[in-house]
Amino acid sequence: MNIETIIQKATIEAVKTLYGAEVNENQVQVQNTRKEVSGDITIVVFPFLRLSRKSPELTAEDLGTYLADKVDLVDSFSVIKGFLNLEISKDYWLDVLTESYNDKNFGYKQTTDESKLVMIEYSSPNTNKPLHLGHIRNNLLGYSISEIVKANGNKVVKTNIVNDRGIHICKSMYAWQQWGNGETPETSGMKGDHLVGKYYVEFDKHFKAEIVELVESGLSKEEAENQAPSIIAARELLRKWEAKDAETVELWKTMNTWVYAGFDVTYKTLGVDFDKIYYESDTYLIGKDEVLRGLKEGTFYQKEDNSVWADLSGDGLDQKILLRSDGTSVYMTQDIGTAKMRFNDYPIDKMVYVVGNEQNYHFQVLANLLDKLGYSWGKDLFHFSYGMVELPSGKMKSREGTVVDADDLVEGMIKVAREMSAELGKLELQSEKEAEETFRMIALGALKYFILKVDPRKNMMFNPEESIDFNGNTGPFIQYTYARIQSVLRKATDRNITIDASREVKNLEVKEKELLKRISLFPAAIQEAGENYSPAIIANYCYELVKEFNQFYHDHHILGEQDADKMNFRLVLAESVGKVIQRAMSLLGIEMPERM
RNA sequence: GGCCCCAUAGUUCAACGGAUAGAAUAGCAGUUUCCUAAACUGUAGAUAUGGGUUCGAUUCCCGUUGGGGCUACCA
């Protein structure tokens, strides 16, 4: 049991004994004592004034006396206004050190037979264009959340629903047919997803030109958008695809294969993976069946043009189309089918969708529709809604080419890492091959940390011009600290110093205790991150620990220490910090270089 | 028009309703005989606006202003 919980329970007891009143856990605010103030754990006593009918100071005095007396771990206390600051005994902090040093799973909860099965959907790309910065945030969040949910003792199935069919693919297909001259990834030397994306842009170019022409000839913009020859051709391809026209399906397969090969490279670079991949081409028919069932049962209704709709106005939502007038299915139809298929495949306790907040409405509607179709789990779907990545120039639009390409971005950052290392004269530390691997780790560490350290729910600003910092509150800063710890440990080994974690410790210095306090918070950070679905909490935790360590490291020359016991203790401490950093960062999918 | 989200130093981000609103960057001023200076230390700088709720509000509620999203027979 961690110290906060112990203090909280003891305080509830204290209030009961002293004032004869019951208080619940929410009323007992236990927090870490501010650094400027002496003490380790602070209790806010304002909520108890009503019960004690005394001043804040006297109330705190009462509680402090009681706790110091009854709780072994509380050595002493001090009172500042309505804040009761408790001094926790040395033994507690040393126990934390022993645990973090010896327990490989320090901070993680193990899965058991009772563990919940959480399915987490993320990435979910369209197969008509390469991944961009927005997808990067999605992928990094999805992967990290999966790791965090796992660390909280759940079973996790990472899943990806590939939007491999639909009008968008048909646009690329049509453009390739028209203007591609048989170009392939092999003949062009382009990565498959980039090649297909090129034709998506090509389509839009022609489409826009046609609209301009039609509008000039007197049509309204809306009419023009519906009558442009290229969109009619794309729709025809979609219809043929759904009718299983051999030639169309063949082209579709070919182009998707190119795209998958490209995606695989990008996923590998980003270090994300999946346990189960679904394809909409497999699930949309199930969704269609479900919609038709709903129509038959009177849940949905059909318009004169044969399109099928749901009327959700009774639930504060709108009319929603589920099947087009030509009978083809839309995004929502597919999501219904995918959900059904998943719940058939797995005993899912909780379904999490990692999808941008622009789709908040979509998921409200989806949950509502599944509920109407009679699925009890419909209401329990959790949309992990993250904010958009904004550029200084505004929103990214792939059709207009104003996107930051994922592959280009990573490549550019590796280049920056390489140049920066050369500039700092770090290249001699390792062989060329190892160095290249380190640059990769640093570049990805910078990118991942930059994106994951911000509250996922909020929109964030990303300026590719300024690239990403390698100094300050960044991934490389944390990696660098880790590398220095490893360096100290290597040097200790070189000098034949053995590290003994069981040796007795006489006294704790302030900075040492500060570090132990930080380490002790790791399990709580993981839990909080899990409850809030927020990698940012882990990033923040890790940064505080690292900063604390850097100050310590600067002030205390571990290997220059004369007292052998003290040196040993500090080595144990350093190694422990390194382990915690490594575990924390692995929850963000960030690798730690041994040297940099 | 309707619905939803956001607003904190020059900039990018923090702050379960709790102590003097924290960091990082950019600026200025310093620290390398010493385990990696991608480090450390000092300095200056912010809650858009008007009300309300209470012991206490950046946080909760209402209004105003400014920004973003959704409101597709796109996905």
Side-chain angles (χ1 to χ4, degrees), chain A residues 31-34 37-42 85-89 93 513-514 517:
Chain A
Q31 49 191 244
N32 294 297
T33 305
R34 296 174 65 105
V37 183
S38 75
D40 301 316
I41 300 282
T42 294
N85 303 315
L86 303 172
E87 191 92 27
I88 304 302
S89 82
W93 303 117
K513 193 165 89 171
E514 288 299 326
K517 276 159 95 169

Side-chain angles (χ1 to χ4, degrees), chain A residues 123-380:
Chain A
S123 199
S124 310
N126 292 347
T127 58
N128 62 325
K129 54 182 188 254
L131 304 180
H132 59 64
L133 184 53
H135 296 113
I136 290 185
R137 191 177 192 189
N138 180 302
N139 281 286
L140 298 183
L141 280 173
Y143 180 84
S144 180
I145 288 299
S146 301
E147 291 303 306
I148 290 168
V149 170
K150 260 190 233 169
N152 276 286
N154 300 289
K155 293 175 194 155
V156 169
V157 177
K158 287 179 278 188
T159 186
N160 185 358
I161 172 77
V162 180
N163 303 311
D164 62 344
R165 44 134 273 131
I167 190 74
H168 51 295
I169 318 295
C170 295
K171 288 178 182 175
S172 289
M173 283 159 59
Y174 173 73
W176 185 85
Q177 278 181 330
Q178 289 297 303
W179 307 291
N181 297 318
E183 191 177 33
T184 69
E186 287 73 34
T187 63
S188 65
M190 274 176 98
K191 205 159 154 278
D193 48 342
H194 289 258
L195 180 69
V196 173
K198 176 177 136 185
Y199 286 100
Y200 188 66
V201 173
E202 191 70 25
F203 175 92
D204 203 59
K205 222 166 72 189
H206 284 87
F207 179 52
K208 287 244 168 71
E210 287 166 11
I211 289 175
V212 169
E213 212 170 290
L214 289 170
V215 168
E216 272 169 10
S217 74
L219 289 179
S220 74
K221 188 159 179 273
E222 203 173 314
E223 287 169 327
E225 279 170 0
N226 273 311
Q227 291 176 29
S230 54
I231 191 70
I232 288 173
R235 284 198 189 125
E236 176 59 14
L237 275 178
L238 179 61
R239 201 197 53 72
K240 277 160 101 174
W241 183 90
E242 288 207 11
K244 296 191 165 54
D245 172 67
E247 193 190 332
T248 309
V249 170
E250 195 52 42
L251 175 60
W252 170 79
K253 270 190 189 156
T254 304
M255 289 181 76
N256 270 345
T257 305
W258 296 345
V259 171
Y260 296 147
F263 282 173
D264 283 347
V265 171
T266 309
Y267 284 145
K268 201 166 173 222
T269 305
L270 290 176
V272 304
D273 55 27
F274 306 94
D275 302 308
K276 171 77 181 173
I277 297 181
Y278 288 93
Y279 297 91
E280 279 192 352
S281 52
D282 295 330
T283 65
Y284 81 104
L285 287 175
I286 300 175
K288 216 164 161 174
D289 288 346
E290 285 297 299
V291 170
L292 291 174
R293 177 171 70 83
L295 180 62
K296 203 190 287 173
E297 291 170 0
T299 314
F300 308 136
Y301 67 94
Q302 194 156 30
K303 285 192 179 173
E304 283 181 6
D305 62 3
N306 282 330
S307 56
V308 178
W309 295 73
D311 179 8
L312 307 175
S313 54
D315 301 301
L317 301 168
D318 230 322
Q319 310 292 315
K320 185 73 201 174
I321 188 158
L322 299 174
L323 288 178
R324 295 192 187 93
S325 49
D326 62 4
T328 57
S329 47
V330 295
Y331 179 38
M332 188 62 74
T333 326
Q334 295 158 186
D335 259 4
I336 292 170
T338 308
K340 188 181 176 190
M341 197 162 173
R342 282 171 174 158
F343 277 83
N344 281 344
D345 290 351
Y346 293 89
I348 298 172
D349 293 301
K350 192 175 177 78
M351 179 73 219
V352 177
Y353 292 85
V354 180
V355 180
N357 64 12
E358 55 196 343
Q359 292 190 38
N360 286 354
Y361 183 73
H362 173 82
F363 281 96
Q364 267 183 45
V365 172
L366 178 63
N368 189 299
L369 289 175
L370 288 169
D371 196 47
K372 280 197 160 53
L373 285 167
Y375 297 108
S376 56
W377 37 263
K379 279 178 294 202
D380 299 329

Side-chain angles (χ1 to χ4, degrees), chain A residues 362-430:
Chain A
H362 173 82
F363 281 96
Q364 267 183 45
V365 172
L366 178 63
N368 189 299
L369 289 175
L370 288 169
D371 196 47
K372 280 197 160 53
L373 285 167
Y375 297 108
S376 56
W377 37 263
K379 279 178 294 202
D380 299 329
L381 303 182
F382 176 60
H383 175 203
F384 175 69
S385 164
Y386 63 89
M388 322 220 303
V389 182
E390 286 161 1
L391 299 173
S393 55
K395 204 193 167 181
M396 286 184 279
K397 292 218 165 67
S398 47
R399 266 171 296 191
E400 289 161 22
T402 57
V403 292
V404 176
D405 179 76
D407 298 318
D408 293 350
L409 181 64
V410 172
E411 200 180 314
M413 293 203 52
I414 292 173
K415 190 165 161 259
V416 173
R418 194 182 293 124
E419 287 166 359
M420 193 93 79
S421 296
E423 206 173 298
L424 293 169
K426 303 263 182 187
L427 298 175
E428 290 78 25
L429 289 172
Q430 43 199 327

